[in-house]
Amino acid sequence: MSTQTEQRPNSDESSALDLLRSGSRFVLSGHVRPDGDCIGAQAALAGLLRALGKEVWIINPDPIGPEFDYLAKENQYRSWGGGDLPVHDVSVLLDCSELSRVGELGLALEAHDSQKLVIDHHIHTEGEWWDEAFVDVSASATGLLVYRIAQHLGIELDPCAAAGVFTSIVTDTGWFKYSNTDAETLRVAGDLLARGVDSSKLFGEIYQRRSSLHPLETAEVLASTEYHFDKRLGVICARRKEGAAPGALDADDALDILRSVGSIEVVLFLRELAGGVVKLSARSKNDFDVNALARQFGGGGHRKASGATIDGEIDDVQRRLVEAARVGFGLTDGGLS
Ligand code: 5GP
Ligand code: MN
């Protein structure tokens, strides 16, 4: 292989690799509203496990978005609606280590007598419920960890698995824009292109097949922008429309535009979901720790990109978040402290 894995596996990683070698029937799952990293890492791991002669099911709490159809040609992505899980001896949770982010499916997986493996790059705060873990919080994407696993196991990624790793990397790095884009990320991306991944074709698949309403919805949501604290904080609210399908608008599309404002340091995207629940996506351009902010609201993630699912009415949630951000900036009510 042209790109060598930088390190030998540590002892935790070696045990995780042993479990992947020894298991025979695998259930792969991920977090609610699975994103490109989650879905891409699952495609990559499924391909890798099939190459090892294993049986694999991918079962998520929610369906995948149509922008990732190209990964579903080789993989069946099921969404769990209750009932029995397939007979399996190992379950693998990807792009998430907290069962609270897996919904009802998390409880079913926990109750099953399978061995549990976590493959993830998030800061973990809840108890350790798994048997084995392959975790590196410095990795730009979970798919990158699956790439490392393939290298450790000496497995060549098939085209769909390679597209899966690439999908993970580009969706979690904002197509190489964010600060998690490191040398390994670019080396692996280069290796994937050398193996035939078509970067511009995948960009077209993910970002250029949207409905004609998309620009209008984006404009409408952006029109809700509120600035605070000398325009260091920007907040966008995507309100739920009665009778309309929940907004498919990608939070990062709107957040990218708000982040382009020079004075902005932190951006918050609030999406009103059914049942008095608000989904927060928070992004930081510099030292402001949005993981700490999201954790105050029961969420988490990374220092520069985090999220939370918050009970409450959207205007009230917005007020509470702005107040928490004020404290995060070290400001008092009167302005600079
Ligand atoms: P996004 O805003 O794109 O949904 O998520 C950004 C980051 O925050 C991701 O790393 C994601 O895993 C994490 N995140 C998003 N929503 C939640 C949540 O409700 N709880 C926790 N713990 N993390 C979240
Ligand atoms: Mn991720």
mmCIF file of all heavy atoms in Angstrom, residues 285-304:
data_model
loop_
_atom_site.group_PDB
_atom_site.id
_atom_site.type_symbol
_atom_site.label_atom_id
_atom_site.label_comp_id
_atom_site.label_asym_id
_atom_site.label_seq_id
_atom_site.Cartn_x
_atom_site.Cartn_y
_atom_site.Cartn_z
ATOM 1 N N LYS A 285 -14.815 29.023 15.231
ATOM 2 C CA LYS A 285 -13.716 29.312 14.303
ATOM 3 C C LYS A 285 -12.380 29.363 15.017
ATOM 4 O O LYS A 285 -11.339 29.330 14.381
ATOM 5 C CB LYS A 285 -13.954 30.671 13.621
ATOM 6 C CG LYS A 285 -14.710 30.563 12.299
ATOM 7 C CD LYS A 285 -15.328 31.892 11.895
ATOM 8 C CE LYS A 285 -14.370 32.891 11.295
ATOM 9 N NZ LYS A 285 -15.093 34.084 10.748
ATOM 10 N N ASN A 286 -12.405 29.543 16.342
ATOM 11 C CA ASN A 286 -11.115 29.698 17.043
ATOM 12 C C ASN A 286 -11.108 28.932 18.363
ATOM 13 O O ASN A 286 -11.449 27.760 18.374
ATOM 14 C CB ASN A 286 -10.779 31.177 17.217
ATOM 15 C CG ASN A 286 -11.938 31.915 17.886
ATOM 16 O OD1 ASN A 286 -12.721 31.300 18.613
ATOM 17 N ND2 ASN A 286 -12.053 33.193 17.652
ATOM 18 N N ASP A 287 -10.753 29.602 19.479
ATOM 19 C CA ASP A 287 -10.551 28.872 20.743
ATOM 20 C C ASP A 287 -11.830 28.582 21.515
ATOM 21 O O ASP A 287 -11.803 27.835 22.486
ATOM 22 C CB ASP A 287 -9.622 29.686 21.671
ATOM 23 C CG ASP A 287 -8.229 29.721 21.120
ATOM 24 O OD1 ASP A 287 -7.905 28.830 20.303
ATOM 25 O OD2 ASP A 287 -7.464 30.641 21.493
ATOM 26 N N PHE A 288 -12.914 29.208 21.165
ATOM 27 C CA PHE A 288 -14.163 28.989 21.906
ATOM 28 C C PHE A 288 -14.512 27.504 21.824
ATOM 29 O O PHE A 288 -14.562 26.927 20.743
ATOM 30 C CB PHE A 288 -15.283 29.836 21.302
ATOM 31 C CG PHE A 288 -16.545 29.857 22.128
ATOM 32 C CD1 PHE A 288 -16.895 30.974 22.860
ATOM 33 C CD2 PHE A 288 -17.387 28.740 22.176
ATOM 34 C CE1 PHE A 288 -18.062 30.995 23.617
ATOM 35 C CE2 PHE A 288 -18.546 28.747 22.932
ATOM 36 C CZ PHE A 288 -18.881 29.887 23.657
ATOM 37 N N ASP A 289 -14.767 26.895 23.004
ATOM 38 C CA ASP A 289 -14.981 25.448 23.065
ATOM 39 C C ASP A 289 -16.479 25.140 22.966
ATOM 40 O O ASP A 289 -17.201 25.199 23.953
ATOM 41 C CB ASP A 289 -14.395 24.927 24.388
ATOM 42 C CG ASP A 289 -14.514 23.423 24.535
ATOM 43 O OD1 ASP A 289 -15.181 22.796 23.700
ATOM 44 O OD2 ASP A 289 -13.930 22.893 25.500
ATOM 45 N N VAL A 290 -16.939 24.809 21.755
ATOM 46 C CA VAL A 290 -18.377 24.535 21.605
ATOM 47 C C VAL A 290 -18.766 23.161 22.149
ATOM 48 O O VAL A 290 -19.945 22.901 22.383
ATOM 49 C CB VAL A 290 -18.886 24.704 20.146
ATOM 50 C CG1 VAL A 290 -18.938 26.166 19.744
ATOM 51 C CG2 VAL A 290 -18.087 23.881 19.157
ATOM 52 N N ASN A 291 -17.782 22.298 22.374
ATOM 53 C CA ASN A 291 -18.094 21.021 23.034
ATOM 54 C C ASN A 291 -18.560 21.303 24.468
ATOM 55 O O ASN A 291 -19.562 20.759 24.930
ATOM 56 C CB ASN A 291 -16.868 20.110 23.019
ATOM 57 C CG ASN A 291 -17.122 18.795 23.735
ATOM 58 O OD1 ASN A 291 -18.146 18.165 23.527
ATOM 59 N ND2 ASN A 291 -16.210 18.390 24.607
ATOM 60 N N ALA A 292 -17.839 22.206 25.153
ATOM 61 C CA ALA A 292 -18.228 22.571 26.527
ATOM 62 C C ALA A 292 -19.621 23.211 26.524
ATOM 63 O O ALA A 292 -20.437 22.945 27.414
ATOM 64 C CB ALA A 292 -17.195 23.532 27.121
ATOM 65 N N LEU A 293 -19.891 24.037 25.519
ATOM 66 C CA LEU A 293 -21.217 24.672 25.421
ATOM 67 C C LEU A 293 -22.303 23.597 25.236
ATOM 68 O O LEU A 293 -23.308 23.578 25.958
ATOM 69 C CB LEU A 293 -21.231 25.653 24.243
ATOM 70 C CG LEU A 293 -22.565 26.369 24.000
ATOM 71 C CD1 LEU A 293 -22.765 27.495 25.016
ATOM 72 C CD2 LEU A 293 -22.650 26.941 22.592
ATOM 73 N N ALA A 294 -22.086 22.690 24.279
ATOM 74 C CA ALA A 294 -23.102 21.663 23.997
ATOM 75 C C ALA A 294 -23.309 20.760 25.204
ATOM 76 O O ALA A 294 -24.434 20.325 25.475
ATOM 77 C CB ALA A 294 -22.687 20.836 22.772
ATOM 78 N N ARG A 295 -22.242 20.505 25.945
ATOM 79 C CA ARG A 295 -22.373 19.616 27.115
ATOM 80 C C ARG A 295 -23.267 20.207 28.185
ATOM 81 O O ARG A 295 -23.943 19.479 28.908
ATOM 82 C CB ARG A 295 -20.991 19.256 27.655
ATOM 83 C CG ARG A 295 -20.427 18.080 26.867
ATOM 84 C CD ARG A 295 -18.969 17.924 27.028
ATOM 85 N NE ARG A 295 -18.604 17.406 28.341
ATOM 86 C CZ ARG A 295 -17.383 17.004 28.634
ATOM 87 N NH1 ARG A 295 -16.433 17.053 27.730
ATOM 88 N NH2 ARG A 295 -17.095 16.549 29.815
ATOM 89 N N GLN A 296 -23.281 21.538 28.293
ATOM 90 C CA GLN A 296 -24.200 22.160 29.259
ATOM 91 C C GLN A 296 -25.652 21.869 28.912
ATOM 92 O O GLN A 296 -26.534 22.013 29.733
ATOM 93 C CB GLN A 296 -24.012 23.678 29.261
ATOM 94 C CG GLN A 296 -22.692 24.144 29.832
ATOM 95 C CD GLN A 296 -22.537 25.647 29.626
ATOM 96 O OE1 GLN A 296 -23.446 26.415 29.905
ATOM 97 N NE2 GLN A 296 -21.387 26.052 29.122
ATOM 98 N N PHE A 297 -25.891 21.486 27.644
ATOM 99 C CA PHE A 297 -27.256 21.208 27.189
ATOM 100 C C PHE A 297 -27.436 19.718 26.881
ATOM 101 O O PHE A 297 -28.285 19.344 26.097
ATOM 102 C CB PHE A 297 -27.574 22.076 25.960
ATOM 103 C CG PHE A 297 -27.660 23.539 26.302
ATOM 104 C CD1 PHE A 297 -26.510 24.322 26.378
ATOM 105 C CD2 PHE A 297 -28.880 24.135 26.601
ATOM 106 C CE1 PHE A 297 -26.580 25.675 26.727
ATOM 107 C CE2 PHE A 297 -28.964 25.476 26.944
ATOM 108 C CZ PHE A 297 -27.808 26.242 27.014
ATOM 109 N N GLY A 298 -26.597 18.889 27.488
ATOM 110 C CA GLY A 298 -26.748 17.441 27.345
ATOM 111 C C GLY A 298 -26.157 16.875 26.070
ATOM 112 O O GLY A 298 -26.367 15.698 25.756
ATOM 113 N N GLY A 299 -25.421 17.684 25.304
ATOM 114 C CA GLY A 299 -24.840 17.208 24.048
ATOM 115 C C GLY A 299 -23.343 17.001 24.164
ATOM 116 O O GLY A 299 -22.812 16.777 25.242
ATOM 117 N N GLY A 300 -22.670 17.098 23.038
ATOM 118 C CA GLY A 300 -21.222 16.884 23.034
ATOM 119 C C GLY A 300 -20.689 16.967 21.628
ATOM 120 O O GLY A 300 -21.327 17.527 20.751
ATOM 121 N N GLY A 301 -19.513 16.372 21.409
ATOM 122 C CA GLY A 301 -18.889 16.389 20.086
ATOM 123 C C GLY A 301 -17.419 16.713 20.189
ATOM 124 O O GLY A 301 -16.684 16.047 20.908
ATOM 125 N N HIS A 302 -17.007 17.758 19.495
ATOM 126 C CA HIS A 302 -15.594 18.169 19.464
ATOM 127 C C HIS A 302 -15.497 19.641 19.872
ATOM 128 O O HIS A 302 -16.502 20.347 19.894
ATOM 129 C CB HIS A 302 -15.016 18.009 18.060
ATOM 130 C CG HIS A 302 -15.324 16.696 17.408
ATOM 131 N ND1 HIS A 302 -14.569 15.571 17.605
ATOM 132 C CD2 HIS A 302 -16.323 16.333 16.567
ATOM 133 C CE1 HIS A 302 -15.084 14.575 16.899
ATOM 134 N NE2 HIS A 302 -16.154 15.009 16.267
ATOM 135 N N ARG A 303 -14.271 20.115 20.137
ATOM 136 C CA ARG A 303 -14.085 21.525 20.541
ATOM 137 C C ARG A 303 -14.634 22.499 19.511
ATOM 138 O O ARG A 303 -15.181 23.538 19.840
ATOM 139 C CB ARG A 303 -12.597 21.847 20.715
ATOM 140 C CG ARG A 303 -12.022 21.491 22.063
ATOM 141 C CD ARG A 303 -10.574 21.982 22.145
ATOM 142 N NE ARG A 303 -10.508 23.437 22.298
ATOM 143 C CZ ARG A 303 -10.549 24.063 23.460
ATOM 144 N NH1 ARG A 303 -10.653 23.377 24.576
ATOM 145 N NH2 ARG A 303 -10.471 25.377 23.517
ATOM 146 N N LYS A 304 -14.448 22.179 18.233
ATOM 147 C CA LYS A 304 -14.847 23.132 17.176
ATOM 148 C C LYS A 304 -16.142 22.759 16.461
ATOM 149 O O LYS A 304 -16.589 23.500 15.588
ATOM 150 C CB LYS A 304 -13.715 23.280 16.166
ATOM 151 C CG LYS A 304 -12.494 23.915 16.796
ATOM 152 C CD LYS A 304 -11.571 24.502 15.772
ATOM 153 C CE LYS A 304 -10.527 25.354 16.484
ATOM 154 N NZ LYS A 304 -9.691 26.098 15.587
#
